[in-house]
Amino acid sequence: MGTTAPSIAIRALAETDLPEAERIFLLAFGTFLGAPEPASFWSDRDYVRGRWQAPHVTAFAAEVEVNWWAPTSQPAGATSASSDR
């Protein structure tokens, strides 16, 4: 009711996406496995780039854009910074 459907795009993972894909991978698996420092979990391994370069593997990126609805009117008694000038 207050939001619109997110815009979702699925595309091939590009080389420029690898640093962010690596960050997401480490954080996701580190959190799932309960590592004390999820963002640095398995940082000595090259799962993302190694698999991205493999000839028998296809990697995808999912991009989600959500447009949130926000009211344009203010609650009674509220003032905006621009109206105070």
Side-chain angles (χ1 to χ4, degrees):
M1 179 158 48
T3 63
T4 60
S7 171
I8 301 172
I10 307 296
R11 60 175 177 75
L13 193 69
E15 187 169 8
T16 57
D17 298 323
L18 293 178
E20 182 66 3
E22 179 77 13
R23 186 191 71 77
I24 292 168
F25 174 86
L26 295 176
L27 185 60
F29 279 92
T31 301
F32 175 73
L33 296 171
E37 298 283 334
S40 61
F41 183 70
W42 282 346
S43 61
D44 60 334
R45 296 180 172 100
D46 191 13
Y47 284 105
V48 174
R49 186 172 295 274
R51 282 167 176 72
W52 180 78
Q53 293 174 330
H56 62 282
V57 174
T58 302
F60 296 96
E63 296 177 333
V64 179
E65 181 182 328
V66 178
N67 296 313
W68 296 100
W69 174 82
T72 56
S73 61
Q74 296 178 354
T79 61
S80 68
S82 61
S83 65
D84 293 338
R85 292 181 191 166

